[in-house]
Amino acid sequence: MSLTLKPRNSVRAKISSVGSYVPPRLLTNADLAKMVSTSDEWITERTGIRERHIVDKGVASSDLGVEAAKICLARRGIDPSEIEVIIVATVTPDMAFPATACLVQNKLGVPHAWGFDLSAACSGFPYALQVGAKLVESGAHKKVLVIGADVMSSIIDYTDRSTCIIFGDGAGAVLLEPCEGDELGLIDYFHEIDGSGAPVLNMPAGGSLLPPSHATVDAKQHFVHQDGAAVYKFAVRKMSENAEILLTRNGLTGADLGCFIPHQANKRIILSTAERLGLPEDRVIINIDRYGNTTAGTIPLAMNTALEEGRLKKGDLVLLASVGAGFTAATTLLRWEF
Ligand code: UT7
């Protein structure tokens, strides 16, 4: 079981800005119905997805991350030169190395920063957020850029109807800064990994276990493989269980939340979690209909949606929650700062 201690530092980290970006090209359910045996009705009913955005050839995760970061920094009115650390959560790095964070640093024109990539699939963004927050809370850094970016279309088999309907490409970025006082900012988290879930959601080849070969390509092992029903079952249980743990130990219930920003994997998973937490639908942010599952991109994309729709206000108690490949699970509690 993972860490259960609440932060006791005097300095808190806050999210001081958000930006998100999706590539312009749309892949609709109708498009997919021409490629595999599926229908708009099936996809909408089972997942809530209507369309997703897909990159053009040559556009990579760093490009989406840079665009999201530019919007995030512009919204805060600061120059890239002020960034001290860049953390990129992704399972689709531009290449195995160097880290996507290095490519973002160079493209964004950040002169003095360090950074790295973090791989935790759909929980990548909240994990990166927590690592960034610790760097701020420790007093080591004052401006940390956290990006969630994935080009899922680069690892999807567009002849496999069970996976190709779900995923899209996109990125989001937030800026973390020290918080004045201890009323706002990141409050607590409960994260958990369970490697027994590895067989039900993975990309088998391309790593040290199965390096790329003609055989791995022929066997389609460089694509996402998923036992959807097994992941669904785990996600529905874990998202609500972990959220309950986090809320209870902070003396809260779902009724105290102003906004629930979940990972966007399936609308039914989101609504079932909200129901178990006793949360009315109007406090749940859902944009999966427009973007599909963008893996590390979903939570900052949804945060941006919440902000632009005026559903996120200063002082709101916000819960983030995700489950992803690994398994990885994340729940984060914060008070919105701006
Ligand atoms: O973020 C990463 C974590 N991933 C997730 O959270 C994904 C969680 N899982 C899911 O969202 C759902 O399991 C899926 C959307 C992937 C699948 O929905 P489901 O309701 O669990 O469907 P199923 O896999 O149990 O399949 C039911 C039927 C099957 O047909 P039979 O065997 O009953 O005849 C499938 O072959 O639906 C069929 N099917 C499809 N039919 C039309 C599967 N995919 C499709 C499709 N179009 N695209």
Side-chain angles (χ1 to χ4, degrees):
M1 192 61 59
S2 59
L3 186 77
T4 54
L5 289 175
K6 287 165 72 173
R8 289 191 175 81
N9 312 47
S10 52
V11 179
R12 262 198 191 166
K14 66 178 182 187
I15 293 173
S16 60
S17 189
V18 181
S20 70
Y21 179 78
V22 290
R25 183 150 69 103
L26 272 182
L27 182 65
T28 65
N29 290 353
D31 295 330
L32 284 164
K34 290 180 200 144
M35 296 156 66
V36 290
S37 172
T38 190
S39 64
D40 175 42
E41 192 189 8
W42 193 96
I43 302 171
T44 308
E45 267 180 21
R46 299 288 183 118
T47 69
I49 303 167
R50 294 187 181 279
E51 58 192 29
R52 63 291 290 140
H53 293 247
I54 301 292
V55 298
D56 288 321
K57 210 171 172 202
V59 176
S61 293
S62 67
D63 299 306
L64 306 189
V66 164
E67 292 309 315
K70 280 182 187 165
I71 295 165
C72 173
L73 298 186
R75 196 175 243 156
R76 177 78 177 88
I78 69 161
D79 190 77
S81 61
E82 293 185 49
I83 300 302
E84 298 162 42
V85 186
I86 301 169
I87 309 175
V88 179
T90 185
V91 287
T92 51
D94 292 26
M95 50 191 106
F97 64 88
T100 310
C102 300
L103 307 174
V104 167
Q105 171 271 327
N106 191 41
K107 289 177 184 178
L108 199 57
V110 180
H112 307 290
W114 66 285
F116 53 92
D117 288 4
L118 187 151
S119 172
C122 299
S123 303
F125 177 80
Y127 282 16
L129 187 71
Q130 204 49 243
V131 173
K134 294 298 162 211
L135 293 174
V136 172
E137 287 169 9
S138 69
H141 292 288
K142 289 194 161 46
K143 286 191 173 55
V144 176
L145 183 64
V146 177
I147 294 172
D150 270 303
V151 173
M152 293 306 290
S153 62
S154 65
I155 55 168
I156 292 299
D157 174 5
Y158 283 97
T159 66
D160 174 8
R161 70 176 183 176
S162 69
T163 52
C164 73
I165 55 138
I166 300 170
F167 294 97
D169 302 337
V174 300
L175 186 65
L176 285 170
E177 295 186 67
C179 198
E180 305 282 324
D182 60 1
E183 292 299 308
L184 303 171
L186 272 76
I187 299 166
D188 198 4
Y189 69 101
F190 184 75
H191 295 348
E192 194 179 7
I193 56 173
D194 177 357
S196 69
V200 300
L201 180 51
N202 57 41
M203 188 176 87
S208 54
L209 179 63
L210 278 178
S213 67
H214 286 294
T216 60
V217 171
D218 290 345
K220 299 190 170 195
Q221 290 177 307
H222 297 272
F223 293 128
V224 171
H225 289 250
Q226 172 173 261
D227 174 347
V231 180
Y232 187 97
K233 235 168 109 184
F234 185 85
V236 162
R237 181 169 65 81
K238 267 295 161 192
M239 293 244 294
S240 53
E241 262 181 27
N242 288 0
E244 289 283 7
I245 289 169
L246 188 66
L247 291 173
T248 304
R249 77 178 186 201
N250 284 278
L252 300 165
T253 69
D256 297 304
L257 295 173
C259 194
F260 176 41
I261 307 182
H263 168 54
Q264 313 279 313
N266 186 314
K267 189 175 175 183
R268 290 186 294 141
I269 296 176
I270 296 172
L271 292 180
S272 151
T273 307
E275 194 185 336
R276 287 176 189 214
L277 294 176
L279 263 169
E281 234 181 287
D282 64 351
R283 285 191 232 157
V284 183
I285 306 303
I286 299 177
N287 63 8
I288 192 171
D289 52 323
R290 284 167 270 169
Y291 304 124
N293 181 350
T294 57
T295 302
T298 63
I299 290 180
L301 268 163
M303 219 175 245
N304 195 65
T305 294
L307 201 60
E308 289 183 349
E309 290 179 357
R311 296 169 68 191
L312 203 45
K313 294 182 194 68
K314 186 167 179 165
D316 273 355
L317 202 53
V318 178
L319 180 74
L320 316 179
S322 66
V323 162
F327 291 118
T328 57
T331 42
T332 305
L333 189 64
L334 57 100
R335 258 194 209 283
W336 194 250
E337 168 70 26
F338 67 97

